[in-house]
Amino acid sequence: MRVVADIPNPNMKVTLLSWNGKYLIKLEKGDFEQTYKIGETDVMGDAGAKELLDEVFLEAAMNRFNDMRDAFVSTVRRNG
């Protein structure tokens, strides 16, 4: 697995990786993680993969992190 880039972001850790013919977009916030995969032939190299990390995508991912946290806190309260 090759780290293509660490993308600066104030809200989450964003890492772009290359592995086994795919790009992996790895997003991390606290104890939660999201990973997205796209074929290397579906984008124009490393630069094309980085273009996918636009503001709209990262905002949607941040919202998903909030939903993940809420769901996890709810299950801990119900079952903990």
Side-chain angles (χ1 to χ4, degrees), residues 51-69:
E51 288 177 5
L52 297 174
L53 303 173
D54 65 12
E55 185 177 329
V56 174
F57 172 75
L58 294 174
E59 183 177 334
M62 190 65 210
N63 291 336
R64 201 163 294 109
F65 275 126
N66 292 333
D67 291 343
M68 291 167 72
R69 183 201 61 228

Side-chain angles (χ1 to χ4, degrees), residues 16-65:
L16 180 63
L17 305 135
S18 177
W19 180 71
N20 203 22
K22 295 188 183 295
Y23 284 106
L24 284 72
I25 298 167
K26 184 174 177 183
L27 310 174
E28 300 173 81
K29 180 153 178 76
D31 293 333
F32 301 103
E33 181 177 301
Q34 298 175 47
T35 303
Y36 300 84
K37 298 176 186 177
I38 185 164
E40 288 181 349
T41 59
D42 294 333
V43 293
M44 299 297 286
D46 294 356
K50 289 177 187 176
E51 288 177 5
L52 297 174
L53 303 173
D54 65 12
E55 185 177 329
V56 174
F57 172 75
L58 294 174
E59 183 177 334
M62 190 65 210
N63 291 336
R64 201 163 294 109
F65 275 126

Side-chain angles (χ1 to χ4, degrees), residues 2-20:
R2 173 177 69 95
V3 175
V4 175
D6 289 313
I7 310 298
N9 186 285
N11 299 311
M12 67 188 96
K13 182 177 179 186
V14 180
T15 308
L16 180 63
L17 305 135
S18 177
W19 180 71
N20 203 22

